[in-house]
């Protein structure tokens, strides 16, 4: 694989195509040429070299649905009022950028997850999303409520002579497998995998003949738990080469204090007590499969002469604890492994190449960026800011002073927790509301987030400043109403 793009002084007559790839639950530290030596990601390496990698991008919620509603609008969860996984619906007036692109003449498609509302016991209802091509699959294990007419992945499997993809393996691993935390269970073969299906259908969409630009959302399920990559991919990752989870003495005591906050998993455990390297290796293998399949999609763009004029965005909705601090999965926490995500943007015909930018950005910034690239008006009440000045190299100024993330009763768990995070690039403040718990970390001196400085009297000034900034950021969020008709 060696894609070469030659930049020419030319102006395209139509706006660029947009390929928007969103993995589910991928951490920021999982790309080879961005610092993870033990993972093999040649496609993502090439993508970052042909565009811009933002190494400090933060999700606006550590949970799928509020994060997805946020980056699809450019508005934070407190503005969209989409907070829960499993919510009944989303506001009808939610300004989804995909709808705006469709209204502007883009042919829009989706493959994989939407997850703006619940698919539990029903087919997820669609909002005004703008997708003409809609190949939906919420997760690989089929539900009786999802007929083949709605579950495009199961339909694809049946067309290829497979009764059900990942089903038994998925159910067994989701139920705990052998009962041991973090034990990888090999999943279905590559040819039957949901990631493979996502790219197959994406290739079908980008290969269609059309006279105008297109926008395609590719939302694969992986590297979401259970940690069950195809056996042939898992065999390529040496567990002894992968890092152990971020863990230090005192983490279990810290998590015991936070145990009253909602979180998935079976409680905090030391990585020494289970096969932590095997879990990390399986997680890496899921990402390596994504990378391998994306190579096919980029080949298809190149072979159809579309690569040079296609904006490619690669990101994730949030991260995964992966054993850090004794936790796996996700919930009401704001550690780096959970809220810091990959974000790469490439457009060989229109943006700078080979940039690695470490200034703070939010996922709310993606929708305004796409609006500007497509020539659309910006959403007036969005907290997101276009990244185009950074992407073109026309500005080297820091993009944001702070980033903000929030959690509000997102999981169906007993505590109904609420929490917010403010981070200024050095100091991170996490406030867990109604329970009187706070965390303050100095990431310059404590990148693993092990020493909570909240009760340190030397930190009173930074505590005060971050609380002030948190109130300011919260004050920028307001419930979205309908369209403004006038002033009276």
């Amino acid at each position: 694989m060696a894609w070469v793009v030659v930049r020419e002084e030319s102006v395209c007559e139509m706006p660029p195509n947009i390929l928007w790839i969103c993995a589910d639950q991928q951490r920021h530290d999982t790309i080879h040429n961005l610092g993870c030596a033990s993972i093999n990601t040649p496609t993502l390496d090439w993508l970052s070299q042909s565009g811009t990698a933002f190494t400090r991008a933060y999700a606006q919620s550590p949970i799928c649905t509020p994060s997805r509603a946020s980056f699809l609008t450019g508005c934070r969860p407190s503005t969209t009022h989409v907070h829960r996984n499993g919510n009944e619906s989303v506001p009808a007036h939610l300004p989804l950028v995909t709808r705006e692109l469709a209204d502007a003449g883009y042919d829009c498609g989706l493959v994989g997850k939407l997850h703006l509302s619940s698919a539990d016991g029903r087919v997820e209802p669609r909002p005004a999303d703008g997708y003409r091509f809609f190949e939906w699959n919420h997760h690989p294990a089929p539900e009786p409520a999802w007929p083949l007419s709605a579950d495009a992945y199961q339909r694809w499997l049946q067309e290829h002579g497979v009764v059900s993809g990942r089903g038994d393996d998925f159910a067994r691993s989701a139920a705990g497998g052998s009962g041991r935390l973090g034990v990888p269970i090999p999943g279905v073969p590559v040819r039957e995998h949901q990631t493979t299906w996502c790219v197959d259908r994406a290739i079908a969409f980008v290969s269609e003949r059309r006279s105008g630009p297109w926008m395609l959302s590719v939302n694969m399920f992986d590297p979401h738990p259970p940690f069950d990559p195809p056996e042939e991919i898992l065999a390529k990752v040496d567990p002894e080469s992968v890092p152990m989870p971020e863990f230090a003495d005192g983490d279990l005591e810290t998590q015991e204090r936070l145990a009253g906050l909602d979180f998935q998993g079976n409680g905090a455990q030391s990585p020494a007590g289970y096969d932590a390297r095997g879990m990390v290796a399986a997680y890496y293998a899921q990402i390596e499969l994504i990378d391998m399949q994306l190579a096919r999609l980029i080949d298809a763009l190149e072979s159809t002469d579309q690569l040079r004029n296609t904006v490619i965005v690669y990101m994730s909705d949030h991260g995964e604890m992966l054993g850090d601090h004794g936790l796996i999965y996700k919930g009401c926490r704001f550690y780096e492994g959970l809220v810091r995500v990959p974000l790469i943007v490439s457009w060989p015909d229109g943006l700078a190449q080979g940039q690695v930018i470490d200034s703070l950005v939010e996922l709310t910034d993606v929708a305004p960026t796409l609006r500007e690239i497509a020539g659309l008006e910006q959403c007036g009440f969005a907290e997101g800011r276009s990244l185009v000045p950074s992407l073109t190299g026309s500005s080297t100024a820091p993009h944001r002073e702070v980033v903000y993330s929030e959690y509000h009763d997102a999981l169906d768990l007993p505590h109904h927790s609420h929490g917010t995070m403010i981070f200024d690039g050095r100091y991170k403040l996490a406030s867990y509301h109604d329970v009187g718990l706070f965390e303050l970390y100095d990431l310059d001196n404590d990148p693993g987030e092990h020493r909570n400085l909240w009760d340190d009297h030397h930190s009173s000034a930074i505590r005060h400043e971050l609380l002030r900034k948190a109130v300011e950021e919260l004050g920028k969020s307001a419930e979205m109403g309908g369209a403004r008709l006038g002033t009276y």
Side-chain angles (χ1 to χ4, degrees):
M1 175 190 64
W3 299 290
V4 177
V5 175
V6 178
R7 292 178 63 84
E8 298 177 357
E9 296 300 324
S10 63
V11 177
C12 297
E13 294 183 357
M14 70 176 186
N17 305 314
I18 298 170
L19 175 59
W20 191 353
I21 305 159
C22 183
D24 194 335
Q25 211 148 319
Q26 182 175 349
R27 296 164 56 105
H28 70 98
D29 53 357
T30 52
I31 297 175
H32 179 85
N33 75 327
L34 297 179
C36 185
S38 51
I39 196 168
N40 184 36
T41 55
T43 309
L44 295 179
D45 294 350
W46 175 85
L47 193 62
S48 66
Q49 292 158 3
S50 69
T52 297
F54 295 93
T55 59
R56 292 203 294 177
Y58 287 81
Q60 275 46 78
S61 179
I63 296 293
C64 296
T65 295
S67 176
R68 290 171 185 264
S70 185
F71 66 65
L72 278 165
T73 59
C75 305
R76 293 172 179 164
S78 289
T79 301
T80 65
H81 278 212
V82 178
H83 294 294
R84 291 188 170 109
N85 263 23
N87 56 306
E88 180 182 6
S89 60
V90 295
H93 55 271
L94 206 66
L96 299 178
V97 67
T98 53
R99 173 74 264 173
E100 296 169 8
L101 288 166
D103 290 344
Y106 274 77
D107 181 24
C108 296
L110 173 137
V111 178
K113 296 183 73 167
L114 181 60
H115 206 188
L116 291 178
S117 59
S118 178
D120 185 4
R122 67 176 188 174
V123 175
E124 177 182 3
R126 291 177 60 182
D129 52 48
Y131 295 118
R132 186 270 305 173
F133 181 96
F134 193 75
E135 296 279 290
W136 178 84
N137 170 258
H138 186 73
H139 64 62
E143 280 200 11
W146 303 344
L148 289 180
S149 59
D151 190 338
Y153 171 53
Q154 296 301 322
R155 189 168 67 246
W156 176 84
L157 287 170
Q158 189 176 83
E159 291 168 355
H160 288 76
V162 180
V163 174
S164 174
R166 204 172 178 176
D168 290 341
D169 286 329
F170 185 97
R172 184 157 44 90
S173 357
S178 63
R180 292 172 55 210
L181 178 66
V183 174
I185 297 176
V188 300
V190 170
R191 65 181 180 277
E192 300 170 10
H193 204 278
Q194 198 253 14
T195 297
T196 304
W197 164 75
C198 280
V199 171
D200 270 11
R201 299 310 299 148
I203 291 172
F205 176 84
V206 304
S207 300
E208 291 182 12
R209 295 176 63 89
R210 52 176 64 82
S211 58
W214 53 261
M215 190 289 302
L216 177 64
S217 300
V218 182
N219 300 332
M220 62 278 294
F221 182 80
D222 276 1
H224 193 289
F227 307 112
D228 62 344
E231 190 167 10
E232 60 263 48
I233 305 298
L234 182 59
K236 297 179 180 180
V237 183
D238 177 12
E240 295 305 312
S241 73
V242 305
M244 284 289 286
E246 182 69 49
F247 188 81
D249 293 340
D251 276 345
L252 294 184
E253 181 181 349
T254 297
Q255 296 313 314
E256 181 62 29
R257 289 193 303 106
L258 300 176
L261 300 169
D262 290 342
F263 207 86
Q264 294 176 336
N266 301 316
Q269 298 188 43
S270 167
Y274 62 94
D275 184 10
R277 289 192 191 276
M279 175 183 67
V280 175
Y283 182 77
Y284 282 16
Q286 290 175 300
I287 295 167
E288 291 194 9
L289 175 60
I290 292 172
D291 190 273
M292 181 178 79
Q293 293 300 323
L294 289 182
R296 297 174 48 225
L297 181 50
I298 292 180
D299 280 338
L301 292 175
E302 186 177 42
S303 66
T304 55
D305 197 28
Q306 299 182 88
L307 182 57
R308 290 176 60 251
N309 194 39
T310 298
V311 175
I312 303 176
V313 178
Y314 185 87
M315 55 179 276
S316 180
D317 55 353
H318 54 77
E320 156 65 47
M321 287 305 297
L322 204 65
D324 288 358
H325 305 279
L327 301 171
I328 62 170
Y329 310 149
K330 59 185 181 287
C332 191
R333 303 290 195 283
F334 299 97
Y335 298 118
E336 290 287 276
L338 193 50
V339 294
R340 186 175 169 190
V341 295
L343 177 59
I344 302 172
V345 183
S346 172
W347 177 17
D349 223 27
L351 301 175
Q353 298 185 39
Q355 295 190 120
V356 177
I357 295 178
D358 65 357
S359 63
L360 296 173
V361 301
E362 292 187 351
L363 293 188
T364 57
D365 299 329
V366 176
T369 301
L370 297 182
R371 289 183 179 114
E372 181 168 353
I373 287 172
L376 308 182
E377 291 185 5
Q378 294 292 351
C379 174
F381 43 76
E383 290 85 12
R385 307 171 188 170
S386 173
L387 294 166
V388 167
S390 297
L391 291 168
T392 59
S394 62
S395 173
T396 58
H399 185 70
R400 286 185 174 275
E401 180 184 3
V402 296
V403 290
Y404 187 78
S405 187
E406 53 191 312
Y407 177 105
H408 298 292
D409 192 21
L411 296 171
D412 188 16
L413 292 173
H415 302 294
H416 305 288
S417 302
H418 297 263
T420 52
M421 178 207 84
I422 190 88
F423 179 48
D424 68 2
R426 176 175 180 179
Y427 293 102
K428 179 188 291 186
L429 173 65
S431 306
Y432 301 107
H433 310 301
D434 297 331
V435 292
L437 294 173
F438 300 87
E439 293 178 293
L440 175 64
Y441 296 108
D442 176 357
L443 271 72
D444 280 5
N445 295 306
D446 178 26
E449 301 173 286
H450 298 296
R451 297 188 298 277
N452 185 0
L453 302 177
W454 176 258
D455 293 322
D456 180 358
H457 71 277
H458 296 294
S459 302
S460 59
I462 190 61
R463 272 201 315 267
H464 178 272
E465 180 63 10
L466 286 178
L467 286 171
R468 182 188 68 79
K469 289 179 178 178
V471 170
E472 285 187 355
E473 294 301 312
L474 179 60
K476 295 175 183 177
S477 302
E479 181 179 2
M480 294 183 305
R484 190 197 312 272
L485 297 180
T487 58
Y488 62 91

